[in-house]
Amino acid sequence: HGTRDFLVPPAEARRFRDALSAEGVPVTLEFVEGQGHGFIKTAPWLRPWIYWSVREFFLSELGVTP
């Protein structure tokens, strides 16, 4: 989540994470400093990091080994 997201403020992302966590849903929230909403289009250098972060989360939660 971008720290400069004015469409969905970081505080809203934190509340969503906390609500999911309270219900026992596995959740990870990471902030990308200085990025706004939809930063994947404006910061293509982040794509590999996003891909590997999401991949590792799903592999871990699904108990799958690549």
Side-chain angles (χ1 to χ4, degrees):
H1 198 96
T3 59
R4 295 188 60 192
D5 187 339
F6 300 113
L7 186 61
V8 180
E12 187 67 25
R14 287 185 191 97
R15 282 193 294 273
F16 187 49
R17 176 206 52 207
D18 294 346
L20 289 170
S21 184
E23 295 300 321
V25 177
V27 60
T28 298
L29 175 62
E30 296 194 40
F31 290 98
V32 181
E33 190 64 39
Q35 296 300 312
H37 189 80
F39 58 81
I40 189 127
K41 293 179 183 176
T42 59
W45 51 271
L46 280 170
R47 289 180 188 149
W49 175 78
I50 293 167
Y51 169 82
W52 289 106
S53 295
V54 171
R55 179 183 182 273
E56 291 305 311
F57 176 82
F58 280 113
L59 288 176
S60 171
E61 291 306 315
L62 297 174
V64 177
T65 50

